[in-house]
Amino acid sequence: MHYPNGKKNHHIRQPAAANRSQAFGNRGMTLEADINATNTYYRDINKANIHKKPTPVQVVNVHYPRRSAAVITEGYFKQPSTTDYNGVYRGRHIDFEAKETKNKTRFPLANIHGHQIEHMKSITKHGGICFLIIRFSVYKETYYIPAETFFPFWDEQFNNGKKSIPYETIRCKGYRIPFHYQARVDFLAIIDQLYF
Amino acid sequence: MHYPNGKKNHHIRQPAAANRSQAFGNRGMTLEADINATNTYYRDINKANIHKKPTPVQVVNVHYPRRSAAVITEGYFKQPSTTDYNGVYRGRHIDFEAKETKNKTRFPLANIHGHQIEHMKSITKHGGICFLIIRFSVYKETYYIPAETFFPFWDEQFNNGKKSIPYETIRCKGYRIPFHYQARVDFLAIIDQLYF
């Protein structure tokens, strides 16, 4: 990167992971970055309008300097009460949560919060298309799990059931999401199969 | 409010407007507060699942004290690139923006940002139900304006058109949203008329 003084800028920190991943077509990006890139692509080609919701912040103190933007000087991250992503595709409401795990053998249910499940049950009841995207980062595999498939596993844990879903179960009951260069997590390909 | 020491707390600031409005059944609440109350009611009775999106914050600095929550010590409010509210009702995607004006004769288009209009056009194209809620606070009147009705007024301003929509036009082309005690801005009543 060149700056106006003609010198290269050596001060911007490049995360090592980002450099490394460039050699592999950015396959090493986080799930969130991949989904954001996918949603941007879907919007650019007018395929769907899906966004990540902003992280909720509890603003406690704001400083208003003269002639410049307000500065939040004290704020706290709040627990989201909904899922992270929603939007519209082919007239249908889309709503999902995305999680990646380094675990090789199972997806721990502790990754999801109870109020998110309540939200997903409500969305499903109102006719939205609701699902989870789960990535096993060690295998670089990303799965689409319909919310209706996920709920029984969630509910069962309170009935002396397991606190996790085995990897094999997710492979079997979920749908492997294809990777494309632009639609990096092409979940609409699965929705097309399941709903249209 | 009683605190553990048994003394009433006189230090919590009660906004004057909130006190005053209690005598009038809270009709003096802001449009945002009314819509949030309405959406909570809709969720409570399982009628619809609609939320306000969190205000986007650009987090610049976070302090991590030992044994307590992370504190944002420098952050800035970002311009939202979408509308403020969305969700699902009777299987349809719902997306809207809400604005109130103290103006008595017109709604200034400067209340809306260009990228919000782009977003609303995209949502409409993808089959979502998209609209504006506009309150003339002086008259305590709240209107539902379908996005498709709003767009020509927006576009016309760049063609030597007016920079505002007259109050009479909104009365004529919009739909007055009824006030109910719990559904304070009962916009789903209008959607029921228009779409179902």
Side-chain angles (χ1 to χ4, degrees):
Chain A
M1 187 183 275
H2 288 272
Y3 268 60
N5 60 8
K7 288 186 187 159
K8 283 191 183 177
N9 171 37
H10 296 286
H11 303 295
I12 291 179
R13 261 197 299 172
Q14 295 277 1
N19 285 331
R20 213 184 308 127
S21 68
Q22 281 166 13
F24 301 94
N26 279 327
R27 289 196 79 147
M29 282 170 71
T30 65
L31 180 58
E32 181 180 323
D34 279 347
I35 292 174
N36 289 343
T38 302
N39 287 336
T40 300
Y41 174 69
Y42 287 157
R43 291 197 301 272
D44 286 349
I45 63 166
N46 280 318
K47 189 177 171 75
N49 189 308
I50 298 166
H51 285 267
K52 182 175 190 297
K53 292 185 202 166
T55 305
V57 167
Q58 174 84 44
V59 175
V60 174
N61 256 311
V62 183
H63 176 57
Y64 298 93
R66 281 193 212 170
R67 279 184 288 226
S68 52
V71 188
I72 298 163
T73 54
E74 186 185 354
Y76 299 90
F77 296 103
K78 287 195 289 185
Q79 193 77 264
S81 57
T82 65
T83 48
D84 272 356
Y85 303 87
N86 76 2
V88 60
Y89 176 55
R90 295 174 76 171
R92 296 293 301 271
H93 179 76
I94 303 294
D95 191 297
F96 64 96
E97 184 62 31
K99 293 290 174 194
E100 66 190 312
T101 179
K102 290 176 181 165
N103 202 303
K104 292 176 189 172
T105 57
R106 58 194 179 278
F107 177 76
L109 293 169
N111 278 299
I112 310 285
H113 299 291
H115 45 259
Q116 293 182 308
I117 297 291
E118 291 316 306
H119 172 77
M120 297 177 88
K121 286 183 175 175
S122 163
I123 294 295
T124 303
K125 182 182 287 176
H126 290 297
I129 295 177
C130 193
F131 56 96
L132 289 98
I133 293 179
I134 294 176
R135 175 177 285 176
F136 286 91
S137 48
V138 173
Y139 305 125
K140 295 185 168 62
E141 290 175 3
T142 310
Y143 292 90
Y144 177 113
I145 321 287
E148 298 87 337
T149 303
F150 189 83
F151 296 151
F153 292 98
W154 176 268
D155 295 338
E156 197 52 27
Q157 70 177 314
F158 304 108
N159 199 14
N160 295 319
K162 291 184 180 172
K163 305 290 182 212
S164 62
I165 307 180
Y167 166 69
E168 280 306 328
T169 304
I170 286 174
R171 259 177 76 109
C172 169
K173 301 226 174 196
Y175 301 85
R176 177 88 179 264
I177 300 177
F179 172 91
H180 296 127
Y181 181 70
Q182 288 173 298
R184 309 177 64 81
V185 185
D186 191 10
F187 57 89
L188 293 182
I190 309 296
I191 291 179
D192 282 338
Q193 280 175 44
L194 296 179
Y195 292 93
F196 295 103
Chain B
M1 186 182 273
H2 289 271
Y3 268 60
N5 60 7
K7 287 186 189 162
K8 284 190 184 177
N9 169 38
H10 295 286
H11 302 295
I12 291 180
R13 263 197 298 172
Q14 295 278 0
N19 286 331
R20 214 184 306 127
S21 68
Q22 282 166 13
F24 301 94
N26 279 327
R27 289 196 78 147
M29 281 169 73
T30 65
L31 179 58
E32 179 179 324
D34 278 347
I35 291 173
N36 288 344
T38 301
N39 286 337
T40 300
Y41 174 69
Y42 287 157
R43 290 196 302 271
D44 285 350
I45 64 167
N46 280 318
K47 189 175 172 76
N49 189 310
I50 299 165
H51 285 267
K52 182 176 189 297
K53 290 184 203 167
T55 304
V57 168
Q58 174 85 44
V59 175
V60 175
N61 256 312
V62 182
H63 177 59
Y64 299 91
R66 279 192 212 170
R67 278 184 290 225
S68 51
V71 188
I72 297 163
T73 55
E74 185 184 355
Y76 299 90
F77 296 103
K78 287 195 290 185
Q79 194 77 263
S81 57
T82 66
T83 48
D84 271 357
Y85 303 88
N86 76 2
V88 60
Y89 176 54
R90 295 174 75 170
R92 297 292 300 271
H93 180 76
I94 303 295
D95 190 297
F96 64 97
E97 184 62 31
K99 292 290 176 195
E100 66 190 312
T101 179
K102 290 176 181 168
N103 202 302
K104 290 176 189 173
T105 58
R106 59 194 179 279
F107 177 76
L109 292 170
N111 279 298
I112 310 285
H113 300 290
H115 45 258
Q116 292 183 308
I117 297 292
E118 292 317 307
H119 172 78
M120 295 175 89
K121 286 182 176 174
S122 163
I123 294 294
T124 303
K125 181 182 287 176
H126 290 296
I129 295 177
C130 193
F131 56 96
L132 290 97
I133 293 180
I134 294 177
R135 174 176 285 177
F136 286 91
S137 48
V138 172
Y139 303 127
K140 296 186 167 62
E141 290 174 6
T142 310
Y143 292 91
Y144 176 114
I145 321 288
E148 298 87 337
T149 304
F150 190 83
F151 296 151
F153 291 98
W154 177 268
D155 294 339
E156 197 51 27
Q157 69 176 317
F158 303 107
N159 198 14
N160 294 319
K162 292 184 180 173
K163 304 288 182 218
S164 62
I165 308 179
Y167 166 69
E168 280 307 327
T169 304
I170 286 174
R171 259 177 75 109
C172 170
K173 301 225 174 198
Y175 301 85
R176 176 88 181 265
I177 300 177
F179 173 92
H180 296 128
Y181 182 69
Q182 287 173 298
R184 309 178 63 81
V185 184
D186 191 10
F187 58 89
L188 292 183
I190 309 296
I191 290 179
D192 281 339
Q193 279 174 47
L194 296 179
Y195 292 91
F196 294 103

Short mmCIF file of all heavy atoms in Angstrom, two decimals, chain A residues 14 16 23 50 52 55 59-60 70 89 124 155 160 178 180 185 194:
data_model
loop_
_atom_site.label_atom_id
_atom_site.label_comp_id
_atom_site.label_asym_id
_atom_site.label_seq_id
_atom_site.Cartn_x
_atom_site.Cartn_y
_atom_site.Cartn_z
N GLN A 14 -0.84 -6.63 9.31
CA GLN A 14 -1.54 -7.61 8.52
C GLN A 14 -1.60 -8.87 9.35
O GLN A 14 -0.56 -9.44 9.67
CB GLN A 14 -0.77 -7.91 7.22
CG GLN A 14 -0.67 -6.72 6.29
CD GLN A 14 -1.91 -6.57 5.42
OE1 GLN A 14 -2.85 -7.35 5.54
NE2 GLN A 14 -1.91 -5.56 4.58
N ALA A 16 -1.36 -12.48 10.37
CA ALA A 16 -0.61 -13.56 9.72
C ALA A 16 -1.56 -14.49 8.98
O ALA A 16 -1.29 -14.91 7.86
CB ALA A 16 0.18 -14.34 10.77
N ALA A 23 -2.71 -17.46 -0.22
CA ALA A 23 -2.16 -18.50 -1.08
C ALA A 23 -3.20 -19.59 -1.38
O ALA A 23 -3.09 -20.32 -2.34
CB ALA A 23 -0.94 -19.14 -0.42
N ILE A 50 -29.63 -9.94 2.23
CA ILE A 50 -29.40 -10.52 3.56
C ILE A 50 -28.23 -9.79 4.20
O ILE A 50 -27.21 -9.53 3.55
CB ILE A 50 -29.10 -12.04 3.45
CG1 ILE A 50 -30.33 -12.75 2.84
CG2 ILE A 50 -28.75 -12.63 4.81
CD1 ILE A 50 -30.06 -14.16 2.38
N LYS A 52 -25.87 -9.07 8.03
CA LYS A 52 -25.56 -9.36 9.42
C LYS A 52 -26.06 -8.20 10.25
O LYS A 52 -25.86 -7.04 9.91
CB LYS A 52 -24.05 -9.50 9.62
CG LYS A 52 -23.70 -9.85 11.05
CD LYS A 52 -22.20 -10.10 11.23
CE LYS A 52 -21.92 -10.68 12.60
NZ LYS A 52 -22.27 -9.78 13.71
N THR A 55 -23.65 -5.77 16.03
CA THR A 55 -23.51 -6.26 17.41
C THR A 55 -24.14 -5.25 18.35
O THR A 55 -23.80 -4.06 18.30
CB THR A 55 -22.02 -6.41 17.76
OG1 THR A 55 -21.43 -7.24 16.77
CG2 THR A 55 -21.83 -7.02 19.13
N VAL A 59 -24.73 1.65 25.22
CA VAL A 59 -23.95 2.88 25.30
C VAL A 59 -24.22 3.54 26.65
O VAL A 59 -25.36 3.81 27.01
CB VAL A 59 -24.31 3.84 24.15
CG1 VAL A 59 -23.58 5.17 24.31
CG2 VAL A 59 -23.96 3.20 22.81
N VAL A 60 -23.17 3.78 27.43
CA VAL A 60 -23.33 4.35 28.76
C VAL A 60 -22.90 5.82 28.78
O VAL A 60 -23.54 6.65 29.40
CB VAL A 60 -22.55 3.53 29.81
CG1 VAL A 60 -22.59 4.19 31.18
CG2 VAL A 60 -23.13 2.11 29.89
N ALA A 70 -19.50 12.38 17.64
CA ALA A 70 -19.69 11.93 19.01
C ALA A 70 -18.84 10.69 19.26
O ALA A 70 -18.73 9.82 18.41
CB ALA A 70 -21.16 11.61 19.25
N TYR A 89 -35.29 -13.53 0.47
CA TYR A 89 -34.88 -14.24 -0.75
C TYR A 89 -36.11 -14.83 -1.41
O TYR A 89 -36.87 -15.57 -0.76
CB TYR A 89 -33.90 -15.37 -0.39
CG TYR A 89 -33.48 -16.23 -1.56
CD1 TYR A 89 -32.93 -15.67 -2.72
CD2 TYR A 89 -33.63 -17.62 -1.52
CE1 TYR A 89 -32.54 -16.46 -3.79
CE2 TYR A 89 -33.23 -18.42 -2.58
CZ TYR A 89 -32.69 -17.84 -3.71
OH TYR A 89 -32.31 -18.62 -4.77
N THR A 124 -39.64 -19.76 12.77
CA THR A 124 -40.13 -20.94 12.06
C THR A 124 -41.66 -20.96 12.09
O THR A 124 -42.32 -21.19 11.08
CB THR A 124 -39.56 -22.21 12.73
OG1 THR A 124 -38.13 -22.10 12.71
CG2 THR A 124 -39.98 -23.46 12.01
N ASP A 155 -33.49 -29.50 22.57
CA ASP A 155 -34.45 -29.79 23.64
C ASP A 155 -34.04 -31.02 24.44
O ASP A 155 -34.21 -31.06 25.67
CB ASP A 155 -35.86 -29.99 23.05
CG ASP A 155 -36.40 -28.70 22.41
OD1 ASP A 155 -35.92 -27.60 22.77
OD2 ASP A 155 -37.30 -28.79 21.55
N ASN A 160 -31.78 -35.09 30.01
CA ASN A 160 -30.65 -36.01 30.16
C ASN A 160 -30.01 -36.41 28.84
O ASN A 160 -29.38 -37.45 28.74
CB ASN A 160 -31.06 -37.28 30.94
CG ASN A 160 -31.46 -36.94 32.36
OD1 ASN A 160 -30.82 -36.11 33.00
ND2 ASN A 160 -32.52 -37.57 32.84
N PRO A 178 -21.79 -25.77 -0.50
CA PRO A 178 -20.68 -25.69 -1.45
C PRO A 178 -19.90 -24.39 -1.30
O PRO A 178 -20.46 -23.35 -0.92
CB PRO A 178 -21.36 -25.75 -2.82
CG PRO A 178 -22.77 -25.34 -2.59
CD PRO A 178 -23.10 -25.69 -1.16
N HIS A 180 -17.91 -21.54 -3.30
CA HIS A 180 -17.60 -20.95 -4.60
C HIS A 180 -16.74 -19.73 -4.38
O HIS A 180 -16.74 -19.14 -3.30
CB HIS A 180 -18.89 -20.58 -5.34
CG HIS A 180 -19.74 -21.76 -5.66
ND1 HIS A 180 -21.07 -21.82 -5.30
CD2 HIS A 180 -19.44 -22.93 -6.26
CE1 HIS A 180 -21.56 -22.98 -5.71
NE2 HIS A 180 -20.60 -23.67 -6.28
N VAL A 185 -19.94 -19.16 0.91
CA VAL A 185 -20.78 -20.07 1.70
C VAL A 185 -22.14 -20.02 1.02
O VAL A 185 -23.04 -19.28 1.42
CB VAL A 185 -20.89 -19.60 3.16
CG1 VAL A 185 -21.65 -20.62 3.99
CG2 VAL A 185 -19.51 -19.38 3.77
N LEU A 194 -34.22 -27.09 -1.08
CA LEU A 194 -35.17 -27.49 -0.04
C LEU A 194 -36.54 -26.84 -0.19
O LEU A 194 -37.55 -27.41 0.22
CB LEU A 194 -34.62 -27.15 1.35
CG LEU A 194 -33.35 -27.88 1.80
CD1 LEU A 194 -32.93 -27.40 3.19
CD2 LEU A 194 -33.59 -29.39 1.82
#
